[in-house]
Amino acid sequence: MTSVANFIIPYIQILNESGELTSDLPDLAKDHNALVAMYRIMTQTRLFDKKAIALQRTGKMGTYAPINGQEAISTAIGHAMRPEDILIPYYRDYAAQFQRGVKMSEILAYWGGDERGNNFTCKSEDLPICVPIATQCLHAAGVAFAIQYRNEPRVAVVSIGDGGTSEGDFYEAMNFAGVKKLPLVFIINNNQWAISVNISQQTASTTLAQKAIAAGFDGIQVDGNDLLGIRDVVGNAIEKARSGGGPTLIEALTYRLSDHTTADDATRYQPSDEVTRAHNKEPISRFKKFLIAQKLWDETKEQAWIEQCNIDISAAVTEFINCPQQPVSSIFDYHYAELPGYMIEQRAIAMEEASNA
């Protein structure tokens, strides 16, 4: 018997859970302003997250998907992308979206049931938040194919949770991306839980990154709580795709330090000792230790930044709360270029009943 192929899945980590270097610093670390900017984004996103949960708990917003403990992945994505690239997000990509011009009030509006939250005032070509599981991967493949067809120097970047990798849409998008060598980067936020289903019950694969092998392109696993590591890996994959090197699958290992959504109770299934261990590996405190050791950050800067974040978040909440209510007709107005006759009738009935309410 002879072996026809062999594969290796590399694992990347630059900063360990204590904020100490485990390998050489990447070139991006020479830009001290960029390092501080990424830390600011992570901190702002966590504070925003806490406020959004509070709004839901007090009945001012609908179901919300927290990002607590997973901020480094989204921060790295947003920082690595160029403005002309296209983000195809799932529902935990706030840090990336903030860096790409989406307002905090728009994220709140979306989770408040207002689709105008997806009509970004920054006029971005990025796709809206995607809640259906894994369908965004097919959208991303289509976007990347259009970029390739037009011969544009742009890249599509799509994110997905570990649970989404069990969906057919994920595999179909990967297969197409591999065959066409699309300028597309897949990023798996492996937070270990697909709602209440642990990763061990989702797949028998040793890694999720190895799922790229069957599609014919590179798969890489990275410590998703290591901001330097994930930023370096994502940045390299994006530039590889831009130069015609085709797609990459990145599995970012992290842990969900929150409920799946505010409609969930993770204490019913997440082992408490596992959560405790995960807290010790979370990304913000790790990167803060590194910045302090590099004399790029201190507690005075920390407090000043937190105060500014709270001011900005409060302003976003005020904008969200004071947004004029949508007319009832809006639930009909964005489905078709021309409404079918039966929906025209329904729209008229709905508007009449609303006016008499």
Side-chain angles (χ1 to χ4, degrees), residues 193-236:
W193 293 93
I195 308 182
S196 59
V197 181
N198 184 264
I199 186 68
S200 64
Q201 301 300 312
Q202 298 177 54
T203 181
S205 296
T206 304
T207 69
L208 295 178
Q210 71 197 63
K211 294 179 183 289
I213 294 171
F217 55 88
D218 293 335
I220 302 171
Q221 189 183 78
V222 60
D223 183 346
N225 290 338
D226 168 15
L227 180 59
L228 286 181
I230 184 66
R231 171 61 181 83
D232 191 45
V233 169
V234 171
N236 290 339

Side-chain angles (χ1 to χ4, degrees), residues 19-297:
E20 300 166 339
L21 288 171
T22 59
S23 62
D24 294 337
L25 282 172
D27 288 342
L28 67 94
K30 297 176 183 177
D31 187 345
H32 292 172
N33 290 333
L35 297 181
V36 172
M38 287 191 289
Y39 178 75
R40 287 174 181 265
I41 284 292
M42 284 202 298
T43 307
Q44 178 195 54
T45 303
R46 181 165 293 183
L47 292 170
F48 168 84
D49 197 61
K50 290 180 180 178
K51 187 62 177 181
I53 292 171
L55 288 171
Q56 192 280 332
R57 298 305 191 205
T58 54
K60 297 178 181 177
M61 195 174 71
T63 299
Y64 170 78
I67 192 177
N68 185 24
Q70 303 157 82
E71 297 90 352
I73 301 169
S74 187
T75 297
I77 292 170
H79 193 268
M81 294 178 70
R82 294 184 188 177
E84 65 267 25
D85 295 333
I86 299 178
L87 175 65
I88 299 90
Y90 83 138
Y91 47 83
R92 282 186 227 281
D93 279 323
Y94 315 128
Q97 290 180 295
F98 293 156
Q99 291 174 90
R100 296 183 62 73
V102 178
K103 301 193 312 184
M104 288 185 281
S105 59
E106 290 171 333
I107 300 295
L108 296 175
Y110 172 80
W111 290 111
D114 190 335
E115 287 293 341
R116 290 174 296 182
N118 276 329
N119 185 21
F120 308 136
T121 54
C122 62
K123 304 303 179 186
S124 170
E125 289 188 293
D126 293 349
L127 272 61
I129 291 173
C130 185
V131 169
I133 306 301
T135 57
Q136 74 273 21
C137 294
L138 293 173
H139 304 158
V143 169
F145 185 66
I147 289 172
Q148 185 185 71
Y149 181 78
R150 296 169 179 171
N151 196 29
E152 297 173 339
R154 301 204 285 175
V155 177
V157 179
V158 61
S159 61
I160 185 173
D162 48 282
T165 64
S166 299
E167 296 285 340
D169 304 49
F170 169 74
Y171 289 98
E172 292 159 15
M174 293 256 291
N175 187 66
F176 185 67
V179 169
K180 296 297 183 180
K181 206 173 182 180
L182 296 180
L184 176 57
V185 178
F186 296 87
I187 301 170
I188 303 170
N189 182 328
N190 184 357
N191 64 26
Q192 313 299 313
W193 293 93
I195 308 182
S196 59
V197 181
N198 184 264
I199 186 68
S200 64
Q201 301 300 312
Q202 298 177 54
T203 181
S205 296
T206 304
T207 69
L208 295 178
Q210 71 197 63
K211 294 179 183 289
I213 294 171
F217 55 88
D218 293 335
I220 302 171
Q221 189 183 78
V222 60
D223 183 346
N225 290 338
D226 168 15
L227 180 59
L228 286 181
I230 184 66
R231 171 61 181 83
D232 191 45
V233 169
V234 171
N236 290 339
I238 288 175
E239 295 314 311
K240 170 192 165 188
R242 195 185 313 280
S243 63
T248 302
L249 174 65
I250 299 168
E251 177 190 3
L253 296 175
T254 184
Y255 194 89
R256 199 186 74 218
L257 296 175
S258 62
D259 299 325
H260 172 70
T261 70
T262 50
D264 174 44
D265 180 6
T267 63
R268 298 178 63 183
Y269 54 83
Q270 284 183 327
S272 59
D273 59 336
E274 181 178 280
V275 176
T276 299
R277 289 194 301 271
H279 269 287
N280 295 328
K281 300 179 181 180
E282 65 90 16
I284 294 181
S285 61
R286 178 188 307 202
F287 199 59
K288 180 180 177 181
K289 291 174 184 176
F290 170 75
L291 291 182
I292 291 174
Q294 299 295 312
K295 302 188 184 306
L296 299 175
W297 198 252

